[in-house]
Amino acid sequence: EYPAAIDAYRRLLELVQNSADQNPMHILSCHARLAEIYYKSDRAEDCEREAELVFEKSVQNPLNAEGQKSVEKATKYLKFVREP
């Protein structure tokens, strides 16, 4: 289940990033979802990497409600993997 979801979000992320009219909030959303999936599949390092990408990319554009949700989700999962 999780490997299929990871593949799907990776493909979606590639499409969004290569779109002529790419929406930065969709990119954030994909990274946040990947962080969540990696967390749920016990892949802490991958979760951390995706969450950090959300933070990195969130400072590049003003956030709308969708972008803010992505940052909140990334914060939640990063906190989970970093706490003992």
Side-chain angles (χ1 to χ4, degrees):
E1 176 181 319
Y2 291 125
I6 291 167
D7 288 342
Y9 273 101
R10 284 273 169 227
R11 285 193 307 273
L12 178 59
L13 182 58
E14 186 177 334
L15 287 171
V16 171
Q17 288 175 324
N18 294 324
S19 173
D21 59 344
Q22 69 173 246
N23 181 331
M25 297 308 114
H26 293 163
I27 293 170
L28 288 180
S29 180
C30 286
H31 285 298
R33 285 302 228 168
L34 282 164
E36 177 181 12
I37 295 165
Y38 284 134
Y39 175 77
K40 290 180 177 182
S41 58
D42 295 322
R43 293 174 58 180
E45 288 180 19
D46 293 321
C47 173
E48 188 171 6
R49 183 190 68 241
E50 293 297 331
E52 288 175 352
L53 281 169
V54 171
F55 300 131
E56 187 179 301
K57 293 180 181 302
S58 70
V59 297
Q60 297 171 359
N61 296 286
L63 295 178
N64 61 14
E66 178 185 1
Q68 187 59 42
K69 279 183 169 180
S70 295
V71 170
E72 289 169 6
K73 183 177 288 202
T75 301
K76 172 182 164 181
Y77 288 108
L78 192 58
K79 184 178 175 183
F80 288 160
V81 298
R82 288 189 173 169
E83 286 185 350

